[in-house]
Amino acid sequence: MGFKCGIVGLPNVGKSTLFNALTETAAAAAANYPFCTIEPNVGLVPVPDPRMEEIARIAKSEKIIATQLSFVDIAGLVRGASQGEGLGNQFLSHIREVDAIIHVLRAFEDGDITHVEGRVDPVADAETVETELMLADLDSLERRLTPAQKKAKQGDDEQKQIVLLMERCLGLLRDGKPVRAGTWTDEEREAIRLLDIITAKPVVYVANVEEASAATGNSLSARVDVMATAQGAASVVISAAIESEVAQLPPEDRTAFLADLGLAETGLGRVIRAGYSLLGLLTFFTAGPKETRAWTVGKGSRAPQAAGVIHTDFERGFIRAETIAYEDYVKLGGEAGARDAGRLRLEGKEYVVADGDVFHFRFNT
């Protein structure tokens, strides 16, 4: 399953530095001038989850394989992007293709790094980008509304529902609100997703601070947090410069390096988990002597769908799932202990997957 988080923001806020650190590569050109990123860079990033280590230890697994998210580094938006300013049309099309948005905001002063707006104000930057995205959605929906209305008048019931939904979305946008600010049912959210509306996508704000403020944040990142809270969105404080340094260290040296800076974990770990949460995902595990592996499904998925993530044959021929909750797996020393204690359950096709489930699937090919 492909889940994509797009990294967006104005030029020179640290997007590409963040992306490079996320992927531990220099694939994205981090340079001090606008539009250094012309094509979106895509990186697959493992989702940190300490539960894997525990399961692998108990199962005596030879290797551990994490689940992954896809991050897309999208070139910086500028004022007027919705009318094609800068490389606006390309940027907007790339944003439409992602499932969630990681919005990087500059929350540090540095006279050597130019700001496209000539000042450092992360809340104003967020409003600039959000305005361009809303204008792009407004233009897109207005162009599609008239043809949809014509089909609806011809008696197309499906188009009638779509027209009503588009009109509600347009109402929000005309009021200066993103579509995600509306109250929607799960069915409506799915229909909106199919309409390719950018401002319907969930957002996490990443306040990129100077190194000295990485552990505590600063006055600028505090303003970002207030803004995010008011919107019901998430916010994360990182120092992209520190994350870039950490990415170059051997894994065994990273914990001590972070501790010296007063950090318990990398900011990237928090960003990745925030993206995972934004997308409404959960993790289940399979474990054995060869490997412990984490897998991703959407919340609300049933056991056959989880089996299908591993292999389509598993879903087609699904019989049952032998299921152990993570806490039981650890507490009881693995599969044998859970079975002896009566904590290994046999679940059928209607079972809704819980985060942390350890599965063994039975199926017919």
Side-chain angles (χ1 to χ4, degrees):
M1 300 173 75
F3 299 103
K4 286 186 179 180
C5 293
I7 302 175
V8 305
L10 294 175
N12 294 343
V13 297
K15 297 182 313 302
S16 294
T17 303
L18 174 64
F19 176 83
N20 291 343
L22 275 167
T23 57
E24 299 187 8
T25 71
N32 181 26
Y33 54 90
F35 314 127
C36 64
T37 308
I38 305 302
E39 294 298 326
N41 293 275
V42 182
L44 284 173
V45 177
V47 177
D49 193 327
R51 294 176 297 183
M52 290 186 296
E53 302 283 347
E54 277 295 290
I55 293 172
R57 178 184 61 78
I58 293 166
K60 297 181 172 58
S61 303
E62 292 177 13
K63 60 182 178 179
I64 296 172
I65 302 176
T67 190
Q68 295 181 319
L69 280 185
S70 180
F71 281 83
V72 184
D73 179 24
I74 299 170
L77 288 175
V78 295
R79 193 182 300 278
S82 58
Q83 280 79 49
E85 290 295 324
L87 298 175
N89 292 331
Q90 291 181 42
F91 301 168
L92 292 169
S93 68
H94 294 320
I95 296 171
R96 291 189 197 282
E97 295 171 2
V98 302
D99 302 300
I101 294 172
I102 306 294
H103 191 158
V104 182
L105 297 166
R106 177 171 167 178
F108 64 90
E109 299 279 357
D110 189 329
D112 294 330
I113 300 177
T114 59
H115 190 290
V116 71
E117 295 281 355
R119 48 88 187 114
V120 178
D121 185 338
V123 172
D125 289 354
E127 290 169 352
T128 295
V129 173
E130 188 81 287
T131 297
E132 295 303 325
L133 299 183
M134 286 192 290
L135 288 170
D137 280 343
L138 195 61
D139 177 64
S140 173
L141 285 171
E142 285 178 339
R143 282 188 287 104
R144 287 183 286 168
L145 182 60
T146 300
Q149 287 172 328
K150 287 179 180 177
K151 290 180 181 178
K153 286 177 181 177
Q154 293 167 1
D156 188 323
D157 289 338
E158 184 179 346
Q159 285 299 312
K160 289 178 184 177
Q161 295 303 312
I162 290 173
V163 166
L164 290 173
L165 200 61
M166 291 172 77
E167 288 173 341
R168 285 176 63 193
C169 292
L170 282 166
L172 286 165
L173 293 166
R174 287 166 181 157
D175 286 342
K177 298 176 182 176
V179 172
R180 65 179 173 275
T183 302
W184 310 104
T185 65
D186 289 343
E187 259 185 17
E188 288 169 339
R189 284 194 188 92
E190 178 58 20
I192 288 170
R193 186 185 68 80
L194 296 174
L195 287 172
D196 247 358
I197 299 174
I198 300 171
T199 62
K201 300 178 189 296
V203 175
V204 60
Y205 294 105
V206 174
N208 182 19
V209 301
E210 70 279 4
E211 293 187 27
S213 300
T216 58
N218 59 23
S219 59
L220 292 171
S221 67
R223 292 180 60 208
V224 172
D225 189 53
V226 170
M227 174 187 67
T229 300
Q231 295 179 10
S235 66
V236 176
V237 173
I238 69 159
S239 166
I242 287 176
E243 302 300 329
S244 186
E245 289 182 56
V246 172
Q248 305 306 314
L249 293 174
E252 61 272 17
D253 294 341
R254 294 177 185 178
T255 300
F257 178 81
L258 290 168
D260 287 344
L261 296 170
L263 298 168
E265 64 170 338
T266 64
L268 296 181
R270 297 195 302 276
V271 171
I272 294 165
R273 284 198 299 275
Y276 202 70
S277 176
L278 275 180
L279 292 167
L281 306 177
L282 56 78
T283 301
F284 71 89
F285 304 97
T286 54
K290 288 187 177 179
E291 67 180 34
T292 287
R293 185 160 184 163
W295 305 87
T296 299
V297 290
K299 290 177 182 176
S301 296
R302 300 189 186 276
Q305 292 173 273
V309 173
I310 299 173
H311 198 290
T312 52
D313 286 348
F314 287 19
E315 183 171 6
R316 281 197 296 267
F318 180 89
I319 300 172
R320 66 176 181 272
E322 296 180 359
T323 312
I324 307 168
Y326 169 76
E327 292 78 9
D328 290 335
Y329 191 93
V330 172
K331 181 180 178 181
L332 299 169
E335 184 176 332
R339 181 182 287 108
D340 291 344
R343 302 301 292 175
L344 185 152
R345 311 185 311 274
L346 300 180
E347 302 288 1
K349 293 182 177 180
E350 297 305 309
Y351 176 69
V352 176
V353 180
D355 187 60
D357 278 344
V358 182
F359 279 127
H360 182 75
F361 293 109
R362 299 292 182 184
F363 62 98
N364 279 325
T365 54

